[in-house]
Amino acid sequence: MSDDLAAEPDGALARTSRRRTRVGLVSGGLGAYWPQFPGLLEQLRESARFVTARIEEMGCEVADAGFVSDPQESARAAERLRRADCDLVVTFLTTYLTASMVLPVAQRTHTPVLVIDLQPTEAMDHANTGTGEWLAYCGQCPLPEVANVFRRSRIPFRSVSGHLRDENAWGRIRRWISAAGVRGALRHGRHGLMGHLYPGMLDVSTDMTLVSSQLGGHVEVLEFDDLRVRVSAVTDMETAERVALAREVFTLDDSVDEGDLAWAARVSVGLDRLVADFALDSLAYYHRGLEGEIHERLGAGMILGASLLTARGVPMAGEYELRTSLAMLIADTMGAGGSFTELQALNFRDGVVEMGHDGPAHLAISAKDPLLRGLGVYHGKRGWGVSVEFDVTHGPVTTFGIGQEADGSFVLIASEGEVVPGPLLEIGNTTSRVDFGFDPGEWTDAWSATGIGHHWALCTGHRARDFRAAADLLGLPFCTVTGPNAL
């Protein structure tokens, strides 16, 4: 990845600011214990303060409803959390309590609940532990009770058990909070859809109502004329500044035409204004065009600006791929990048699947400085100009996308592999060589059988468990490909 891209603090490469993940927290224990065991309540409250601080360290906004000791206090805490509009509510079982103190929180907040029980240390000092000291270790005691009541109430149950300084437990909690960030980004997101469907791509077609009804947020329908008027207002100085930025971020191939680069830079500035004016969190676009008219030229000039915006955390997907732009947003929210990708070829000699795409790329996950290549023709599309060429950072990766079933329901789909070095195409496309650990033909068959569609996001790191958690909070099914014909 370009050092300039990594270090740029502001300006055209500044990361977009999103709404902070909002986590509700309520801690509790059985009030009957407090007069029986002096000092126990204060010890448990201190544990609750520790949990609050750890969650805040994850960059969350914590709505702390305090410590509850009976069902009445729990009901009042639930009402406070309902008003807070949280992305996730964490209920901390500090010791035994009754399920009647937990159920109202799940029922009234209308928010996914994570139940945690974190005892003070990894094990009791049995020789010096009396009943009062033991009760501080008893947070897991009501967990089956809570799980049973959630199940009978048709409320999804999820939990993390551990101790206060158990990094394995905190890693699992962090995964749920990361998934809550996805839920928040989608619930409050504004997703642009500009132009029209690439003719004949039936798998790409997505009902916008289903996006809002299943994921939340709003789909803003845009015209290429919305971009045209903003590009026409870009000054020569602004264009020159964007050309200079492109020269810092990219290695320019000799094939790049200066006029095409200037046009791409002008479109890039206009695209930034479009995103700002409509407060977009993502954008999918396509326009066919005809005989070099302005809309064709705009569509052809999008790649530079779309790649810069994707690197900033505003994912852009070509070919009107709304579900993939949403998958890219999910991945980026989790810190996994997410670059627009499809199958390119299978390499049976090296045992890898070659995948990538023409068009916008997630520059922040490039293995090295991305290259701008000039193209006299875009395959399968009208127009010409500059295109991005790179491969994703070598090492663990996850393919991730949003499928759609016959009944219209969405499903999150993932498969973990590794990007490995080797020969790549030099045709102005992103290309990565991904080893999934088994025959590339068998992987392709299993991946296609999930109903993924022919586009997805290529993400850094092994993220299947993270995406599974996001699916859980969104109330969506999850599918993973882990071996031949394994779904």
Side-chain angles (χ1 to χ4, degrees):
M1 183 181 70
S2 166
D3 291 338
D4 296 304
L5 185 59
E8 182 77 14
D10 51 25
L13 290 179
R15 287 284 300 180
T16 187
S17 59
R18 294 198 185 107
R19 170 186 174 276
R20 290 172 66 196
T21 303
R22 189 171 300 162
V23 176
L25 176 63
V26 59
S27 306
L30 189 65
Y33 296 148
W34 315 150
Q36 293 177 326
F37 304 100
L40 175 60
L41 176 58
E42 181 52 37
Q43 179 185 356
L44 300 180
R45 281 178 167 161
E46 181 61 32
S47 294
R49 288 190 285 270
F50 178 87
V51 167
T52 300
R54 283 295 303 257
I55 294 176
E56 287 177 336
E57 288 173 3
M58 299 179 195
C60 300
E61 176 185 336
V62 178
D64 193 341
F67 197 101
V68 299
S69 301
D70 57 43
Q72 293 88 344
E73 290 182 358
S74 179
R76 289 192 289 271
E79 180 60 20
R80 289 195 292 273
L81 294 174
R82 183 191 66 80
R83 293 195 300 267
D85 185 32
C86 300
D87 303 310
L88 177 71
V89 170
V90 177
T91 299
F92 178 22
L93 312 182
T94 66
T95 184
Y96 177 77
L97 47 63
T98 62
S100 65
M101 296 171 60
V102 180
L103 184 60
V105 174
Q107 290 177 319
R108 301 187 186 192
T109 59
H110 303 290
T111 301
V113 173
L114 171 66
V115 180
I116 66 173
D117 60 278
L118 303 175
Q119 63 189 40
T121 65
E122 60 185 354
M124 290 185 291
D125 178 5
H126 295 79
N128 297 297
T129 298
T131 302
E133 291 79 15
W134 157 63
L135 287 173
Y137 284 81
C138 200
Q140 74 289 140
C141 179
L143 193 65
E145 175 180 340
V146 172
N148 173 276
V149 172
F150 273 34
R151 188 181 190 93
R152 291 162 65 183
S153 303
R154 301 184 185 278
I155 295 170
F157 174 78
R158 52 193 74 84
S159 68
V160 172
S161 300
H163 61 87
L164 286 175
R165 289 170 175 78
D166 179 358
E167 290 308 314
N168 176 53
W170 280 108
R172 287 141 58 204
I173 292 170
R174 187 175 294 107
R175 178 174 298 119
W176 286 114
I177 290 178
S178 177
V182 168
R183 181 173 182 265
L186 293 175
R187 284 198 306 131
H188 297 273
R190 290 176 52 81
H191 314 295
L193 195 58
M194 184 170 69
H196 61 81
L197 184 71
Y198 188 108
M201 286 187 181
L202 303 182
D203 63 318
V204 167
S205 179
T206 301
D207 186 330
M208 292 180 290
T209 303
L210 295 181
V211 172
S212 296
S213 65
Q214 295 186 52
L215 304 177
H218 169 75
V219 178
E220 182 73 15
V221 177
L222 302 169
E223 305 281 356
F224 259 78
D225 286 319
D226 292 316
L227 178 61
R228 175 182 58 81
V229 296
R230 288 164 176 80
V231 171
S232 66
V234 176
T235 66
D236 291 343
M237 179 174 293
E238 290 170 327
T239 300
E241 290 173 349
R242 189 55 54 93
V243 168
L245 176 65
R247 293 184 181 279
E248 292 177 10
V249 172
F250 295 89
T251 297
L252 267 61
D253 186 75
D254 291 341
S255 59
V256 172
D257 178 83
E258 290 295 329
D260 291 345
L261 177 60
W263 173 247
R266 189 177 295 273
V267 173
S268 175
V269 176
L271 190 56
D272 284 359
R273 291 178 180 165
L274 180 80
V275 166
D277 290 346
F278 287 95
L280 300 180
D281 296 290
S282 68
L283 176 67
Y285 67 91
Y286 176 74
H287 184 82
R288 182 170 56 190
L290 185 67
E291 296 182 348
E293 49 83 34
I294 184 60
H295 299 93
E296 177 185 306
R297 292 292 292 130
L298 287 168
M302 291 274 290
I303 296 174
L304 172 64
S307 297
L308 292 172
L309 278 165
T310 299
R312 289 174 48 200
V314 184
M316 303 274 157
E319 297 179 8
Y320 213 60
E321 236 310 2
L322 176 59
R323 294 201 310 278
T324 298
S325 62
L326 292 170
M328 292 164 66
L329 178 63
I330 291 171
D332 190 82
T333 300
M334 289 185 162
S339 200
F340 191 43
T341 303
E342 67 181 3
L343 290 170
Q344 291 180 328
L346 305 181
N347 188 326
F348 293 96
R349 180 186 61 231
D350 296 340
V352 298
V353 179
E354 298 182 20
M355 59 178 66
H357 210 286
D358 60 334
H362 200 311
L363 305 178
I365 62 172
S366 175
K368 56 185 179 181
D369 282 3
L371 181 134
L372 274 184
R373 186 179 295 279
L375 298 178
V377 62
Y378 292 152
H379 72 273
K381 303 179 183 69
R382 299 189 63 86
W384 64 94
V386 295
S387 190
V388 175
E389 189 174 294
F390 84 147
D391 65 329
V392 168
T393 300
H394 297 179
V397 292
T398 305
T399 56
F400 170 64
I402 302 176
Q404 189 166 15
E405 302 291 354
D407 64 0
S409 60
F410 294 141
V411 55
L412 303 192
I413 304 168
S415 185
E416 295 178 344
E418 182 176 359
V419 171
V420 297
L424 300 172
L425 290 172
E426 297 181 356
I427 60 171
N429 283 204
T430 64
T431 304
S432 296
R433 294 159 44 91
V434 187
D435 182 354
F436 290 98
F438 59 101
D439 179 82
E442 291 183 81
W443 180 87
T444 301
D445 291 339
W447 181 246
S448 300
T450 65
I452 183 64
H454 79 283
H455 298 125
W456 51 87
L458 184 58
C459 316
T460 55
H462 283 166
R463 304 283 184 165
R465 289 187 294 176
D466 300 328
F467 294 132
R468 183 186 295 275
D472 185 285
L473 294 193
L474 294 169
L476 299 178
F478 176 77
C479 174
T480 183
V481 173
T482 57
N485 302 313
L487 306 181

